[in-house]
Amino acid sequence: MSDPYYDPTGAAAALAFLAILIPLILFFAVIYYVLSSFFMMKIFQKAGVQGQWRAWVPIYNGMIMGKLGDMSPWVVLGAAIAAGVLGQIPYIGWIFSIAAYLVVVAYSWRVGLKLGKEWYLLLLFILPGLGQLIWLGILAFDKSRWNPAIPPAPWASSFIADRTVWQGIPVQPGAPAPAGGYAAPGATAAPGAYPPPPAPGAYPPPPASAAPTAPPAAAEPPAPPTTPPTEPPAPPTTPPTEPPAPPRV
């Protein structure tokens, strides 16, 4: 006896629909991955990140974006795991998904500020998937330049602030500088921050000691007069006249 609720045509139609839908989902997922990784690569170049391959590693590229946005990469990793695993828990899983979404928005806001973008550009994140892709494209291809000299993040003193040092990733203001590390091209210290100490061997040489000044020359005696002194008058050659004789009495 056949089951009256079994519809072979409906099952076949559902399988055919899935056979078309799953390849489409995979196709758009690959397109999204390629475009987002390419846009991140351009943003990393602006920020001075070494190694273009970093933008093509899933999850790791988001951790680097977190570091550039003054967010601990381990917090970003934890948020991704929470959204992917704990987000599947019935009734409460949505809380972990929203928390992970807020982490992404927070460090994206900081990255946008360092590229001269206002906060309202994050309204693109309202569009699921496509909005973040548009946001990455704007930051990647506009003419803005990386400037980390912005006010500290509101979470700068909390545990979610970036405290890690990774080779090849510029240290942002407020994070500990690595030994022999480097900063992004054109980066300046945050307002009120102490300038980093110069690298070993970069101290300027001491100024050369000035040569001693020669003592002043002694004054020379005045030169003798060139005109000879006047000779005394010559004695008279004519004898003086004798006085007249007195008169006789």
Side-chain angles (χ1 to χ4, degrees):
M1 181 178 181
S2 62
D3 187 357
Y5 298 100
Y6 176 71
D7 184 7
T9 58
L15 290 176
F17 177 75
L18 291 177
I20 297 174
L21 181 62
I22 292 176
L24 283 177
I25 293 176
L26 292 177
F27 173 77
F28 286 111
V30 171
I31 294 297
Y32 180 88
Y33 166 76
V34 172
L35 291 178
S36 61
S37 299
F38 180 72
F39 294 160
M40 284 188 187
M41 183 182 68
K42 294 297 183 181
I43 295 174
F44 290 173
Q45 290 176 356
K46 289 185 177 183
V49 176
Q50 293 182 354
Q52 298 182 1
W53 60 269
R54 302 176 190 269
W56 297 90
V57 181
I59 300 179
Y60 178 63
N61 52 15
M63 297 172 70
I64 296 178
M65 286 288 288
K67 281 185 61 63
L68 297 178
D70 307 317
M71 182 82 64
S72 172
W74 306 115
V75 172
V76 177
L77 178 62
I81 295 176
V85 178
L86 302 180
Q88 307 302 321
I89 300 176
Y91 304 110
I92 63 172
W94 61 272
I95 298 177
F96 299 100
S97 299
I98 291 180
Y101 183 78
L102 292 178
V103 168
V104 174
V105 171
Y107 70 66
S108 299
W109 165 60
R110 296 290 295 175
V111 171
L113 287 180
K114 294 177 183 181
L115 288 173
K117 299 297 179 290
E118 298 294 339
W119 66 268
Y120 50 76
L121 191 63
L122 293 174
L123 295 177
L124 289 170
F125 278 66
I126 299 175
L127 304 175
L130 184 60
Q132 186 175 4
L133 196 63
I134 296 174
W135 178 83
L136 288 172
I138 293 175
L139 269 61
F141 291 104
D142 69 349
K143 297 182 179 180
S144 59
R145 304 185 67 177
W146 187 257
N147 177 27
I150 60 176
W155 58 83
S157 58
S158 66
F159 73 97
I160 67 174
D162 182 29
R163 297 288 185 270
T164 60
V165 175
W166 286 356
Q167 186 66 27
I169 311 253
V171 176
Q172 303 302 301
Y182 66 97
T188 56
Y194 292 98
Y203 291 94
S209 57
T213 56
E220 297 181 358
T226 55
T227 304
T230 306
E231 297 181 356
T237 56
T238 304
T241 304
E242 295 181 356
R248 295 180 179 179
V249 176

